[in-house]
């Protein structure tokens, strides 16, 4: 089969190579899946650069989520707990054997039925972005109907998911984006107000205050860090919650805790992946919830581009460069 492999760390287009490799064999507790679509995530670039919290042994295949078809289960997998061969599923493959390949192995516990309402590319983009959004907005921040949610990088992968989940929860959503094309996408996603961070510059916090009658945003969802965080601290509401989701800007903020005390707001860390081991039942319940929202049409992953297998490395490069909207999905 064909698989993209990384033999040394570096920039994605320098180090990802499309190679012919043997088909994987399912071991104990594993399921063999034929990949139908594999979503590109920001961490794919960090994995290539050796900057991610997980450092798989070389050579490894990037790609951390997919939609595929079950081919076979390995020894010790209880057939009652895994969808039957031929079923369409969402899965997180086990690195070093990532999703930018024709076939992958995934732990039986990390496989979920693909929602019927979504096509392969949409289903491939559901799991990480929407689970992260759900846990961030509901479990960590306790977002309530009628509150104002501000989403940084609102036209991006996890940002677009948070916008849709915020609207589904009855929040008023302010999307912050970089540039007019992304602003258009954020409007189409359903943001009530869209602010272009490039145009706004240092005025961003006062524009948020204007849009909220001077109150500020109740919940701020931040996958960007750096100056996005600094702006958030200036426009978060009394008893507001800033959810720290990621550092796509490359800059990790060092917040002043005296400021959080003086203004009565909370800074909440979010590492969704930890829930997979700490509270797997909540992840399963969240998938049920997301499947229901997809069936109602309340959420639908925004697929910016469907990319052929040969284009995977360039797709990873473009997502890391911050120029893409929605999700880029590789179709092997
Ligand atoms: N905490 C968790 O559990 C968790 C789970 C999933 C993902 N994440 C994190 O969430 C972040 C976003 O991931 P994603 O896959 O959805 O990516 P993405 O949002 O599609 O892409 C990143 C976005 O960040 C913005 N950005 C601002 N400054 C940037 C810069 N200097 N370079 C690149 N982008 C910049 C850009 O949007 P604008 O131009 O519109 O600002 C860009 O589109 C990543 O840091 C990822 O690691 C965290």
């Amino acid at each position: 089969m064909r698989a993209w492999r990384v033999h040394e760390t570096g920039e994605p287009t320098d180090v990802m190579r499309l190679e012919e490799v043997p088909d994987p064999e399912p071991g104990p507790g594993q399921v063999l899946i034929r990949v139908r679509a594999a979503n590109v995530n920001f961490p794919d670039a960090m994995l290539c650069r050796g900057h991610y919290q997980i450092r798989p042994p070389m050579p490894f295949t990037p790609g951390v989520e997919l939609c595929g078809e079950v081919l076979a289960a390995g020894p010790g997998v209880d057939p009652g707990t895994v969808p039957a061969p031929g079923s369409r599923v969402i899965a997180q493959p086990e690195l070093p054997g990532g999703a930018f390949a024709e076939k992958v192995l995934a732990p039986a516990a990390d496989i979920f039925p693909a929602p019927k309402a979504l096509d392969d590319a949409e289903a491939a983009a559901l799991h990480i972005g929407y689970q992260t959004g759900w846990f961030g907005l509901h479990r960590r921040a306790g977002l309530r109907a009628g509150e104002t949610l501000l989403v940084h990088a609102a036209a991006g992968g996890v940002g677009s998911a948070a916008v849709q989940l915020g609207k589904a929860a009855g929040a008023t959503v302010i999307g912050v984006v970089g540039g007019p094309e992304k602003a258009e996408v954020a409007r189409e996603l359903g943001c009530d107000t869209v602010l272009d961070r490039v145009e706004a510059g240092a005025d961003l916090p006062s524009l948020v205050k204007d849009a909220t009658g001077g109150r500020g945003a109740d919940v701020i969802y931040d996958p960007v860090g750096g100056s996005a965080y600094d702006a958030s601290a200036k426009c978060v509401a009394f008893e507001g919650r800033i959810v720290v989701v990621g550092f796509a800007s490359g800059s990790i903020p060092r917040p002043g805790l005296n400021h959080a005390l003086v203004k009565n707001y909370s800074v909440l860390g979010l590492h969704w992946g930890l829930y997979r081991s700490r509270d797997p039942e909540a992840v399963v319940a969240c998938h049920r919830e997301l499947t229901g929202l997809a069936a109602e049409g309340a959420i639908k992953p925004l697929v910016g581009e469907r990319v052929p297998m040969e284009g995977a490395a360039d797709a990873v490069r473009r997502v890391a460069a911050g120029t893409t909207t929605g999700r880029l999905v590789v179709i092997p």
Side-chain angles (χ1 to χ4, degrees):
M1 69 163 190
R2 290 186 311 161
W4 281 93
R5 296 212 299 174
V6 173
H7 294 259
E8 61 194 359
T9 55
E11 285 308 304
T13 44
D14 293 335
V15 299
M16 283 175 66
R17 292 188 223 153
L18 186 54
E19 296 177 334
E20 195 62 38
V21 298
D23 280 11
E25 292 279 334
Q30 292 181 320
V31 176
L32 177 65
I33 297 169
R34 184 194 311 284
V35 180
R36 291 162 74 131
N39 175 37
V40 177
N41 281 269
F42 202 89
D44 290 317
M46 288 150 78
L47 278 165
C48 290
R49 291 171 181 157
H51 294 168
Y52 197 53
Q53 59 248 40
I54 300 162
R55 296 199 182 170
M58 307 266 180
F60 71 89
T61 297
V64 291
E65 64 179 335
L66 62 95
C67 172
E69 181 189 327
V70 173
L71 294 178
V77 175
D78 175 355
T81 62
V82 173
S87 305
R88 203 173 70 109
V89 293
I90 285 173
Q92 288 200 264
E94 209 154 31
L95 296 177
F100 302 142
E102 287 170 340
K103 291 175 193 160
V104 296
L105 299 174
D110 284 334
I111 294 176
F112 302 87
K116 288 191 178 67
L118 305 179
D119 70 20
D120 292 344
E122 290 162 349
L126 181 76
H127 198 58
I128 294 177
Y130 286 81
Q131 287 262 348
T132 301
W134 182 267
F135 277 84
L137 298 181
H138 294 292
R139 180 136 168 180
R140 300 295 281 132
L143 178 68
R144 296 183 289 271
E147 287 194 312
T148 299
L149 166 69
L150 184 153
V151 179
H152 288 289
V158 302
S160 57
V163 169
Q164 293 181 358
L165 288 169
K167 290 302 297 176
T172 300
V173 180
I174 300 175
V176 175
V177 295
E181 267 178 46
K182 290 178 178 177
E184 191 51 45
V185 171
R187 264 179 227 109
E188 282 165 17
L189 279 166
C191 288
D192 299 280
T193 302
V194 176
L195 300 172
D196 182 341
R197 64 177 168 85
V198 183
E199 216 170 69
D203 292 336
L204 186 61
S206 56
L207 294 173
V208 174
K209 292 268 183 72
D210 291 348
T212 53
R215 182 181 152 70
D218 299 298
V219 174
I220 301 185
Y221 190 82
D222 181 13
V224 177
S227 59
Y229 179 84
D230 298 338
S232 300
K234 290 180 184 150
C235 64
V236 62
F238 173 73
E239 295 192 330
R241 292 83 78 199
I242 301 175
V243 188
V244 179
V245 183
F247 311 107
S249 65
S251 162
I252 300 177
R254 309 214 172 277
L257 291 184
N258 54 337
H259 195 252
L261 179 155
V262 168
K263 282 188 65 181
N264 276 53
Y265 64 85
S266 310
V267 180
L268 305 167
L270 173 66
H271 178 180
W272 169 71
L274 280 188
Y275 289 105
R276 291 162 64 203
S277 53
R278 298 292 176 106
D279 194 353
E281 282 168 18
V283 173
V284 173
C286 177
H287 183 70
R288 269 198 303 273
E289 196 76 39
L290 295 175
T291 301
L293 288 171
E296 288 166 22
I299 61 169
K300 188 181 177 75
L302 173 66
V303 177
E305 248 179 84
R306 288 166 169 77
V307 177
M309 184 70 155
E310 294 72 18
D314 192 55
V316 174
R317 176 191 68 77
R318 287 187 289 139
V319 169
T323 55
T324 55
T325 56
R327 290 300 197 183
L328 269 51
V329 182
V330 178
I331 312 290

